Amino acid sequence: MSKKRRLEWSFFLNDRNRVTYNELCRRCRHDCKQSFRAVVIECPKYLSKRSHKGAEKKR
């Protein structure tokens, strides 16, 4: 990886200089991936199974 590209992707690179995404984003099919360093508070395209089941029980 070139130096310029490494600087662009530095937020996504782990200690082995490999691009790493957040745990929630790894299996996500959408292309709005977030870094493993970021704390995901809300993702508009992510809906956990727990929250979906909990919403059904409240109805």
Side-chain angles (χ1 to χ4, degrees):
M1 187 179 293
S2 68
K3 185 175 181 180
K4 182 178 179 181
R5 186 170 165 96
R6 189 175 293 131
L7 286 173
E8 289 175 2
W9 283 92
S10 63
F11 194 59
F12 288 88
L13 296 177
N14 63 6
D15 56 349
R16 292 191 229 161
N17 288 331
R18 298 184 132 211
V19 176
T20 309
Y21 299 110
N22 197 309
E23 190 66 34
L24 294 176
C25 298
R26 281 188 199 158
R27 292 180 227 97
C28 184
R29 61 184 167 145
H30 302 288
D31 59 352
C32 57
K33 307 286 188 203
Q34 296 185 25
S35 171
F36 71 101
R37 297 176 198 270
V39 177
V40 177
I41 295 174
E42 182 180 355
C43 180
K45 297 182 181 181
Y46 175 76
L47 180 65
S48 70
K49 293 179 183 177
R50 287 187 218 164
S51 67
H52 184 66
K53 289 180 183 177
E56 289 177 3
K57 288 181 182 179
K58 290 180 182 178
R59 289 182 188 173

